Amino acid sequence: MKAQRAVIIALYVVAMFMVSIDGTIVNVLLPTIAVEFGVTPGATNGINIGYLVSIAVALPAAGYLSNRYGVKRMYVLSVSLFTLASLLCGLAGSLQALILARVLQGLAGGIITPVSMTLLFRTFSPPERQNLSRSLVLPIAFAPAIGPLVGGLFSEYLSWNWAFFINIPFGIIIVLIGLFALTEFEIFKAPFDTKGYMLIALGLPLLMLTLSLIASDGVSITVVFCAIVGVFLLSQFYVYERKIKEPLLDVRLYEQPLFLSSSLVAMCSMGALMGMLYLFPLMYQYAYSASALESSLITFTEALGLMVASRLLPRTSKHFGMLYTVRLGLIGTVMIFCCIAILGPSANPWLLRGLMFAVGICLGHSVIGSQLSAFHHVAKSQMSKATTLYNMLNRVGAAVGIALVATTLTVSGRYFSEILSYQYALVATVVLLLAGLGCSLFAKEQETILKGEKA
């Protein structure tokens, strides 16, 4: 039994790590890819947009698929597809082929994320999950932070293709382990909600596309149209899902204050983290004409801070209670982000590394704590749908963070110097952190639970 649990933890970490790092590793390689394929840098946007949109299409169906066909089966299938797509990405001989392979990769990644969380949370009880904090932090927040560093190393010493080839040996190993070491969970059969899926499979990608276009091109008629249609479809989806007996996603889970508040805190925290990871390398490279590798060595210390946070969380949550631990983490991150914005990239590099390390410690408490809290009351039969809802908000939060930073950077650049516009854009991420802090203030049920756990 212990061996089985250890295998599940390892499979969760490696699979989620692959998906998470793939969201940021490509960013620093886009200029190199543009040169190799003989296109403008703007033309490479499809590499990320295709990935994000395909994830948004696959995510809503992940809960149904794992309930209907089995968590083990969908885990192995999705990781196999992700590994194959990674091979196709690395072998792509044109930009169009690379974008198509990224779409396939996104479809697999959209299923891996909630299914991996279901695998973990259906195995371990709520009290046991606090001791898993070191495993939870690796793929959630550590991987996006080291993505630019790994991408920079490949760009400097190998080639961009290795950013995708690196997934292949890991993918093969975890597929083989999953096939022979995992046992299937109970299957919950239910009819497929076709209408609900069509509404969200169109609405969510349109919303993600809107945020991506805002980040790259600013506001336009096309962006406004996509936003209006996307929001309308998602609102119709929410209304419809509340009415039917067997919904695709049980949005009634949002009626649980603990699940809703924790999901929103996680969404805001992830938005602030991804916005900072997107902005700071640009700001640092502008100030020092630094390479992608040099700037990633600054942000990398944030990942080390997250590792420390994963070890501290069980102790701090016992001392303060999980709710106050999450709040203190958000408050600490707000203060540090403001310091980084005021100091700017001209500060001593080691001071910046120290501040990034502190960001990892504070934000790590908020990210891991909110995830542990979100699934505290969720029944095993609802776990697949709950993890899907949670991950959908996380994806939207990441896109919102990048879009908010990019838009602030563009607008402030019209009125202020370039360095000031970068600093104001970093302050914009503070807005997301404050929003997350506000959401945590309404978690009365969470406060009651975690006072009991503290005792």
Side-chain angles (χ1 to χ4, degrees):
M1 187 66 177
K2 287 184 178 180
Q4 171 85 357
R5 289 184 163 208
V7 167
I8 288 173
I9 294 173
L11 292 178
Y12 168 84
V13 169
V14 178
M16 291 281 284
F17 197 93
M18 286 197 309
V19 176
S20 299
I21 199 173
D22 243 56
T24 58
I25 195 173
V26 179
N27 290 340
V28 297
L29 299 171
L30 294 180
T32 306
I33 293 172
V35 170
E36 178 159 333
F37 291 142
V39 298
T40 62
T44 61
N45 258 349
I47 296 173
N48 279 337
I49 291 176
Y51 185 71
L52 288 173
V53 170
S54 57
I55 281 179
V57 170
L59 256 176
Y64 168 81
L65 291 173
S66 57
N67 274 348
R68 177 65 179 82
Y69 299 105
V71 177
K72 172 186 172 179
R73 187 176 287 111
M74 292 312 304
Y75 175 85
V76 170
L77 180 61
S78 59
V79 173
S80 300
L81 185 61
F82 189 88
T83 305
L84 173 62
S86 297
L87 175 64
L88 296 176
C89 285
L91 295 175
S94 67
L95 181 62
Q96 292 75 19
L98 179 56
I99 291 173
L100 287 175
R102 282 286 278 177
V103 168
L104 182 63
Q105 199 179 39
L107 290 173
I111 296 174
I112 288 175
T113 305
V115 169
S116 296
M117 290 181 66
T118 302
L119 184 69
L120 195 72
F121 287 137
R122 283 182 66 174
T123 303
F124 295 91
S125 65
E128 293 174 315
R129 293 171 196 163
Q130 283 199 41
N131 296 324
L132 295 175
S133 57
R134 286 190 291 275
S135 302
L136 294 174
V137 74
L138 279 169
I140 296 168
F142 184 80
I146 69 166
L149 175 61
V150 176
L153 288 170
F154 285 144
S155 177
E156 193 88 9
Y157 300 110
L158 293 171
S159 69
W160 64 266
N161 312 76
W162 284 94
F164 302 105
F165 287 151
I166 194 175
N167 293 329
I168 296 171
F170 293 105
I172 292 173
I173 290 170
I174 60 178
V175 165
L176 292 175
I177 294 174
L179 281 172
F180 297 106
L182 287 180
T183 54
E184 188 58 88
F185 289 89
E186 180 184 359
I187 291 175
F188 303 99
K189 294 185 178 181
F192 185 66
D193 177 15
T194 305
K195 180 178 178 180
Y197 179 73
M198 292 303 296
L199 286 171
I200 196 168
L202 291 174
L204 188 59
L206 277 173
L207 181 61
M208 299 292 283
L209 180 61
T210 298
L211 295 170
S212 296
L213 289 174
I214 289 174
S216 59
D217 304 325
V219 179
S220 64
I221 295 176
T222 302
V223 169
V224 173
F225 175 77
C226 289
I228 292 173
V229 175
V231 170
F232 173 76
L233 291 174
L234 289 176
S235 64
Q236 291 300 303
F237 170 79
Y238 182 80
V239 172
Y240 177 72
E241 294 295 284
R242 285 178 58 83
K243 291 179 180 178
I244 63 173
K245 184 179 179 181
E246 297 289 348
L248 177 71
L249 297 177
D250 193 355
V251 295
R252 289 182 288 267
L253 284 166
Y254 286 138
E255 295 174 4
Q256 297 182 17
L258 178 59
F259 181 75
L260 176 60
S261 63
S262 298
S263 297
L264 291 175
V265 169
M267 180 185 75
C268 294
S269 299
M270 186 57 64
L273 174 64
M274 296 305 291
M276 185 272 292
L277 291 176
Y278 167 80
L279 178 70
F280 187 85
L282 295 176
M283 183 170 68
Y284 192 75
Q285 288 175 55
Y286 164 76
Y288 289 108
S289 298
S291 67
L293 178 58
E294 289 171 332
S295 65
S296 63
L297 287 172
I298 297 287
T299 56
F300 175 68
T301 55
E302 183 265 343
L304 299 179
L306 288 166
M307 295 295 293
V308 173
S310 70
R311 293 182 174 275
L312 292 177
L313 182 68
R315 299 175 188 174
T316 51
S317 61
K318 285 180 181 178
H319 184 71
F320 296 106
M322 190 68 80
L323 175 61
Y324 290 105
T325 297
V326 170
R327 288 176 181 171
L328 288 172
L330 289 169
I331 292 170
T333 309
V334 166
M335 295 171 65
I336 299 165
F337 271 31
C338 289
C339 287
I340 295 173
I342 292 169
L343 292 172
S346 59
N348 182 284
W350 284 104
L351 175 59
L352 292 174
R353 290 187 182 101
L355 289 171
M356 286 293 179
F357 181 76
V359 166
I361 293 177
C362 293
L363 199 57
H365 279 84
S366 299
V367 170
I368 309 169
S370 57
Q371 183 180 21
L372 290 171
S373 301
F375 303 100
H376 197 282
H377 282 332
V378 177
K380 289 186 176 181
S381 60
Q382 292 290 89
M383 191 61 73
S384 295
K385 293 182 178 181
T387 55
T388 301
L389 284 172
Y390 182 88
N391 278 285
M392 281 173 55
L393 282 184
N394 255 12
R395 292 289 178 180
V396 172
V400 167
I402 294 172
L404 179 63
V405 163
T407 303
T408 305
L409 189 61
T410 301
V411 174
S412 59
R414 298 172 186 167
Y415 306 101
F416 305 101
S417 66
E418 189 165 3
I419 192 65
L420 272 177
S421 63
Y422 279 114
Q423 290 172 285
Y424 285 132
L426 189 57
V427 171
T429 60
V430 174
V431 175
L432 288 174
L433 293 170
L434 292 175
L437 182 61
C439 292
S440 74
L441 297 177
F442 294 98
K444 294 181 180 178
E445 181 184 351
Q446 185 179 15
E447 185 173 6
T448 302
I449 291 167
L450 296 173
K451 278 181 179 177
E453 288 182 352
K454 180 181 172 183

